[in-house]
Structures are given as C-alpha cells and as structure tokens.
Amino acid sequence: MNNNTVVIRNYFQMLILFIITFSACKSGSSGHSESNAALPSTEKNNGIQFALKLMPGAKYYYTTTTETNTKVEVNDQKIKTENNATIGLIYEVLPVTGDSTVLKITYDKIHIELTDKGDKQVMDAGNTGEEQSTMDKLLGLVKGSSVFITLDKKGRIIKTSGSKEITDKVLGGLGMYDDGQTKMMVKEQIGKLVGDDFIESNISQGFNFYPDTAVTEGQSWSKKNTSVGDIKLDGVTRYTLSSIDDGIATISIDIHSANNGTNKPIFMMGQQVQADLSQKADGYFEIEMATGMLTRAKSKTVIQGTIQVMTKVVPVEITTKKKLTIKKI
C-alpha cells in the first residue's frame, strides 16, 4: 500500500465516523409507518390535518448543524472524539404534471471538523488554493451538484436520480489515489453522502411523518422506524402536537430504538461487528401549516451499548445534538 493511499484512507476513516453518527441519529419510516399519509392541511372541528403542499418554483435553504461526541473504552482507556458538521442544501420545487412533486436538492455547503486525541482535522468543500486538502477537493466536487427526488401525493419518495453522477464525478477526481481498493472505499462512503442512505435519513423525515387522521393539541401518534446508515436500530417514534401558534405547529418527538438483541451484526467502517446498542432521542419540529414544510428542528440523540471487535467487548456511547433551520429563498 503506497503512502498516498494511506493518507486518503486516513481522511476517509474520519469521514466515515462522521457519516455513521450523522446518519444514525435520524430515522426513516418507509415501509414501517403506522400513519404515513400526507393529508390536506385544513382545520376541522375534530382537529387539524397536515399536508405537503409545495408550489412549483419555491426554493428553500436547509442548514443542518451537528455536534457529536463519541466515547469508547478499550483496555481500560477511555477514548473521546468530537465531530462537528454543517451541511447546507438548496431545495427547489420543479414544475411537473400530475400528482407527483419533484425536488431538486443541491449541495451548497459541506464543512466537517473531526477531533481525535487533540488532533483536529477540518474538511470544507469551499476551500480552494493552498489551503485545499485532498478531502476538500473531493468534497468540493460534491458542492454544486444535485440529486432529484420525486414524491407521490402522500409525500412518499417514489424515485431518485443524480447520485450516480455525483459519485462518478468524485471518483474521477481521485487522481494519484485512483487504486482499486481506495476507489471502492471512496465510492462506498461518498454514496452515503449522496445516495439512498442520505436521501432516507435527510429527505424522507421531512415529508413522511404526518398522521393519517386529524389531530388536536396534546394528541400523539406513533410510527415504527428503522434508522438508516451503518447503525440500524428498530424502534418507535412518538410524535405529539404540542402547540399551534401563528400558523406554525410544534411537534415534539420521542424515539426509543434498539438493534433487537445482543450481538446483532452491524457494519462500521466497512467491517461487520457484533453489537448490542440502543438509542434514545427527543426534540421537536416546527411545521409551517400552509405548506407542510419544516421550518426548524432540534434534537438530542444518545446511542449506548457495546460492540465486539475481534474478541473484545467495547463500551460505546455516541451523543449527537442537531439543529435544522429552513428558510425560503
């Protein structure tokens, strides 16, 4: 293995840690929802029904900031890492005939900070010139690229495109690092920033949590879910309509998930390991009732348990705080 390959693999190992924690703290409910219909957003005597009503030509800017602290105990030594990230996405509603809705989602900002044992690595898709690292260059190839999502009238994702083109662009920029093993690893991990896992964890959550009946303030509904990403935990998300104020509905969330038993295999950094993990999360959404769009979200997620690496059982705790803000542009 040459030195160039070692360098890029080290960068990607840190990036993978970010992807795992960024994806694991979000839950997708496709195929597991107890109430997944997007209904007309009208107020009735028996409550309120939510809907997704997007107008062609509308644009929104999504900013997600994530702070993740990971604690691992190996051979009586506690290892702590800290990951911070800001992801900026532009959502554009495209004109289309029929009942479907097409979203063009463009990557505008990717900024990741990874700190391990005091060693801080910063990756930014906007860095250029002498400050640009190898990972900056690869992430820069993602910046400005778009994926396309088609939703049916109930807010469910029925078609996606664009991910392969972004991945091919990144692979084409590997240059001196273009050996078989590195190319395979880059393809797998970049796919998690632009592929199905990304779409399920970042897009589906915004359009597929409405109840299928009218709800009143204080009323709750639940959905079965499986979190996406490398750490897959089955559980239930409980939603509660907390308040309605000036056209904005606040919905609190409470998630309890587990990987269904001790030592169930999961994949971390391309390796299958045995795990016994559980997840708890709470937070809230703010929804614009006129459009059904998220305007703000905040959550805290804690994943705890153990993973078995070779013959060692390693305690793990991952705490993630996330904020999502959306504004119309």
Side-chain angles (χ1 to χ4, degrees):
M1 183 184 302
N2 60 47
N3 290 334
N4 290 333
T5 299
V6 172
V7 170
I8 196 170
R9 288 189 181 184
N10 287 339
Y11 273 115
F12 262 95
Q13 284 175 351
M14 292 185 295
L15 180 60
I16 292 166
L17 289 175
F18 159 73
I19 292 170
I20 289 171
T21 53
F22 185 78
S23 300
C25 56
K26 300 183 178 181
S27 296
S29 55
S30 177
H32 299 278
S33 175
E34 295 177 354
S35 54
N36 62 2
L39 301 171
S41 181
T42 58
E43 187 168 357
K44 299 183 178 180
N45 292 333
N46 61 344
I48 295 170
Q49 293 182 317
F50 292 93
L52 181 65
K53 298 193 297 183
L54 299 177
M55 297 299 295
K59 287 187 177 182
Y60 301 86
Y61 196 96
Y62 274 54
T63 302
T64 301
T65 57
T66 307
E67 300 177 5
T68 301
N69 290 284
T70 303
K71 299 178 182 179
V72 179
E73 187 172 337
V74 182
N75 295 332
D76 297 325
Q77 291 187 345
K78 295 183 178 180
I79 302 171
K80 298 181 180 180
T81 61
E82 179 180 338
N83 306 334
N84 299 308
T86 301
I87 308 294
L89 302 169
I90 299 171
Y91 282 44
E92 181 179 358
V93 184
L94 301 182
V96 67
T97 58
D99 294 329
S100 60
T101 298
V102 177
L103 295 176
K104 177 184 178 182
I105 301 174
T106 302
Y107 292 80
D108 184 63
K109 182 176 183 178
I110 306 173
H111 179 88
I112 302 170
E113 298 180 4
L114 306 175
T115 304
D116 182 12
K117 298 179 181 179
D119 182 22
K120 185 176 181 178
Q121 298 288 343
V122 178
M123 294 171 268
D124 195 307
N127 282 345
T128 58
E130 295 182 358
E131 296 182 356
Q132 188 182 53
S133 69
T134 301
M135 280 306 306
D136 292 339
K137 179 181 177 182
L138 296 179
L139 293 178
L141 294 172
V142 178
K143 178 180 168 68
S145 300
S146 303
V147 294
F148 297 84
I149 314 297
T150 302
L151 307 170
D152 68 12
K153 62 182 180 180
K154 293 184 178 181
R156 296 174 299 197
I157 296 174
I158 57 177
K159 182 182 177 181
T160 67
S161 62
S163 297
K164 182 180 183 302
E165 288 78 4
I166 299 175
T167 302
D168 289 345
K169 187 197 304 188
V170 173
L171 293 178
L174 284 175
M176 70 179 72
Y177 304 111
D178 191 8
D179 65 89
Q181 288 182 311
T182 302
K183 191 171 186 178
M184 182 180 301
M185 181 180 63
V186 171
K187 182 177 181 179
E188 178 183 353
Q189 300 309 324
I190 286 295
K192 291 175 183 176
L193 282 177
V194 301
D196 291 342
D197 277 354
F198 166 81
I199 292 168
E200 286 297 327
S201 64
N202 290 275
I203 311 305
S204 180
Q205 67 160 355
F207 303 110
N208 195 27
F209 63 86
Y210 304 125
D212 59 1
T213 58
V215 293
T216 58
E217 287 189 47
Q219 189 172 352
S220 300
W221 66 99
S222 298
K223 297 166 72 76
K224 295 179 181 179
N225 62 62
T226 298
S227 55
V228 299
D230 287 344
I231 302 177
K232 298 186 182 298
L233 303 173
D234 298 325
V236 174
T237 302
R238 181 180 177 87
Y239 302 90
T240 302
L241 178 57
S242 300
S243 64
I244 302 169
D245 184 26
D246 196 24
I248 300 295
T250 300
I251 298 173
S252 62
I253 58 172
D254 183 38
I255 302 174
H256 293 273
S257 304
N259 68 328
N260 289 338
T262 302
N263 291 333
K264 183 175 181 179
I266 63 171
F267 284 88
M268 296 183 69
M269 292 190 288
Q271 301 295 321
Q272 180 174 292
V273 297
Q274 304 298 111
D276 181 13
L277 299 171
S278 63
Q279 171 186 242
K280 291 183 180 180
D282 57 59
Y284 68 87
F285 298 149
E286 291 181 1
I287 310 297
E288 183 181 53
M289 294 175 59
T291 61
M293 286 289 288
L294 282 168
T295 61
R296 188 183 303 273
K298 188 175 182 179
S299 66
K300 178 182 178 180
T301 303
V302 178
I303 296 176
Q304 291 180 307
T306 60
I307 59 174
Q308 185 173 329
V309 181
M310 303 297 287
T311 60
K312 295 184 180 296
V313 176
V314 179
V316 176
E317 180 180 310
I318 303 171
T319 302
T320 301
K321 297 179 181 179
K322 183 167 28 208
K323 292 173 61 177
L324 174 65
T325 57
I326 301 98
K327 64 179 181 179
K328 193 169 183 179
I329 57 178

